[in-house]
Amino acid sequence: MDFGLGRVRPIEIDKEMKNSYIDYAMSVIVMRALPDVRDGFKPVHRRILYAMHEAGMAANKPYKKSARIVGEVLGKYHPHGDQSVYSSIVRMAQDFSTRYLLVDGHGNFGSVDGDSAAAMRYTEVRMSKISEYMLADIEKDVVKFTPNYDESLQEPEVLPARIPNLLVNGSSGIAVGMATNIPPHNLSEVVDGIVALIDNPEAELPELMQHIKGPDFPTGAMILGNEGIHEAYATGRGVVKIRAKAQIERMSNGKERILVTEIPYQVNKSRLIEGIAHLVNEKIIEGITDLRDESDRQGMRIIIELKRDANANVILNQLYKHTKMQDSFGIIMLALVDGKPEVLNLKQVLVHYINHQRDILVKRSTYELNKAKDRAHILEGLRIALKNIDNVIKIIRSSSDTDAAKTGLSEALSISDKQIQAILEMRLQRLVGLEQEKIDNEYKQILETINYLESLLHSDEKIMQVVKEDLLEVKKKFGDARKTIITIDNSQIPVEDLIAVEDIVITITHNGYIKRLPTDTYKNQKRGGRGVTGMGTKEEDFVEHLFITTTHHNILVFTNRGRMYQIKGYEIPEASRTAKGTAIVNLLQFEPQEKINTVISVEGFTADKMLFMATNMGTVKKCRLTDFGNTRKGGLNAISLLENEELISVKLTDGNSNIIMATKLGLSIHFSEQDVRVMGRTARGVRGLALKKNDSVVAMDVVRDDSYILTITEEGLGKRTLISEYRAQTRGGKGIINIKINERTGVVAGVRIVREDDELIVISSEGIVIRTDVNAISIVGRSAQGVKVMRLDDGDKVVALATVNKKIIEE
């Protein structure tokens, strides 16, 4: 094959691709994406500040157009596109992106809402005061300079960096196969940590963390816990959780609102608010009535107004869970060390910075020493000339030209060419006595400076002392208070651990409204009155379930469709005595046509408790309470039902209770629950009562010795019967008579186990509600029909009843 007389060289494509990609990767790593451990800058930021320094854009000079410095950087040092340069300048000027501003910007530089900065032709910039410290003494040969991209100019390889910028302002960047993400820190804390390490080079992480508490973000907010911080400082990698700063306030109308004043670092405020609105619209978070942004020049204010019956603590925790109000910051402390990327722990970062400052100080001192020696040499020549001034004047006047004068002075005074040149350039005014004295004083001061610098360069202890003094000066000038609070990590703590255990009253109405009230709401009412007076329900509604529990108890809600839902006491919104409450469908994910038939409060899911269930078709089932401990948000099936079958009642038992069931055609059965074996949660159940045609079970309850069986019929007749009249049978039988029914009585509307101090509530199909004390209803036999409890209009029927124990609200 002809390879062009040696002008074409054969190569293997895989080797060429490998070598080329490695070259590209290293170029990105070293020249673009990663900061240097010494000054904490990527090349673009270093070049921006150096170009501003060279252009005279100091903090005490007028602002200049951003486009001007962008052009300077592009043309001289960084030919990678104007947007890459301008976006870097913008970030260095944003107080919500950079902890200590490196660029003093004038104009629109964007906002925390994600608004972009104005074009570079509109904005103006100059160096900030802190940036000047990053370039301090750069003209004293303290850093190495390298050729720029076209070798027409020189640029610094690193900046002197009197500010520990890598930690103070942090850095983020994605290279090839690696990334860095260093959070900003508080300048005062970092300086204290460096000083502590200078004083004790053997100091380990615990001692350093006494000074450097953790990241300090420009947007403030809160860091949850020290675990992620400690891991990052120990290994160079870790994750910290950041949570918005929010507080719950009570408004003048009695409702509560959440006020957010600080959000996590790098979170877009506008998108955060949009995210909250989306969660409200999708009903993922319930209870928010208004959401608005009142942020202004004075600070951030996001207002989240809540419903009157909403639990503010629960909603706030939901916001932390579902939105960027709680975010994570993954720390990767990756930086270039001698041109190579390394993941560094906190101590290593500090040690590299201290070594850099030591090197800068040594080079600065060496430069100043050489300058001082040069000046001393000149002053020595001037002093010699002044002592021999007459002879000097004579030689100069008699010389034909400058070279002759130099030769004559050299022979007469034995001085160097530099000294001769200084003598020839000396003005006549230096001959006056006062000027001679100034030269002598300057010479003495120069000698003192030389002695100090020589002693400094020969003592590492003195060098480190100066490094400390320089850093403490920086702290005094630029140090400020911490913005980000470090608090305990309660994000993994269950919400109930943050809520006090308190006794509460839960009420649920017939139409499905639920609310929570303090127990003293009822204790302050008159004794002997109606326990549910003033509940604020509609005329056709009434309180069907009322019980005392605690904020930490589990409320088990069973529906006619055989499903069970679970809610904590504190999750039920608190409301006033006269408030209607919250529709329970807003708290629990009910399926269509589901209705509550039983509510049970349990402290825990213990193995010694059972749940006994009954359906309208006579099926019964007994399960362990522990089977229901892990309830999904959407509920779970408590019993498998046939078509047209409904769960009518569930009771909490000890496994040894007696059960009574009653039907709409007036039959009942009394048996021991031990006749029913324990079954799994998905089991169908067994026969509890053999039903006649067209009959169905209307009630199931646990028998108590001090109680009666109360029966109410559709036509409003009712009676109480002693438990002793119902002999115990074996489950599955046809049962015995509970009440004789006919056209006058109508079928049975409901049966309850009641006590003397209970109150009965009866509702008709027309929405008429009456309340009466149970002890006002006559005690009669099983076969009796009872007395009129509720008078009904033609066509109206009793459709539901409930009982409330008045003693509950007085104990």
Side-chain angles (χ1 to χ4, degrees), residues 65-78:
K65 286 291 184 183
S66 300
R68 179 171 175 177
I69 190 60
V70 170
E72 285 281 309
V73 175
L74 280 180
K76 292 181 177 180
Y77 310 115
H78 196 77

Side-chain angles (χ1 to χ4, degrees), residues 660 699-710 723 751-755 758 803:
I660 194 162
M700 181 273 291
D701 213 335
V702 176
V703 174
R704 296 189 297 267
D705 292 338
D706 61 341
S707 57
Y708 303 89
I709 293 181
L710 172 70
I723 291 291
V751 176
R752 294 286 186 275
I753 297 291
V754 297
R755 290 183 290 195
D758 283 350
T803 55

Side-chain angles (χ1 to χ4, degrees), residues 772-784:
T772 184
D773 290 335
V774 163
N775 57 17
I777 299 174
S778 303
I779 301 173
V780 295
R782 283 191 298 110
S783 58

Side-chain angles (χ1 to χ4, degrees), residues 34-35 37 166-167 171 179-183 185 215 228-238 329-337 341-350:
L34 299 184
V37 71
L166 185 65
L167 284 177
S171 183
T180 185
N181 204 28
I182 303 172
H185 290 75
I229 300 172
H230 188 278
E231 183 180 2
Y233 287 173
T235 67
R237 294 178 182 270
F329 188 97
I331 299 175
I332 308 172
M333 297 176 68
L334 178 71
L336 295 175
V337 180
E342 288 186 23
V343 176
L344 306 166
N345 60 35
L346 177 64
K347 184 174 181 180
Q348 289 173 321
V349 171
L350 299 181

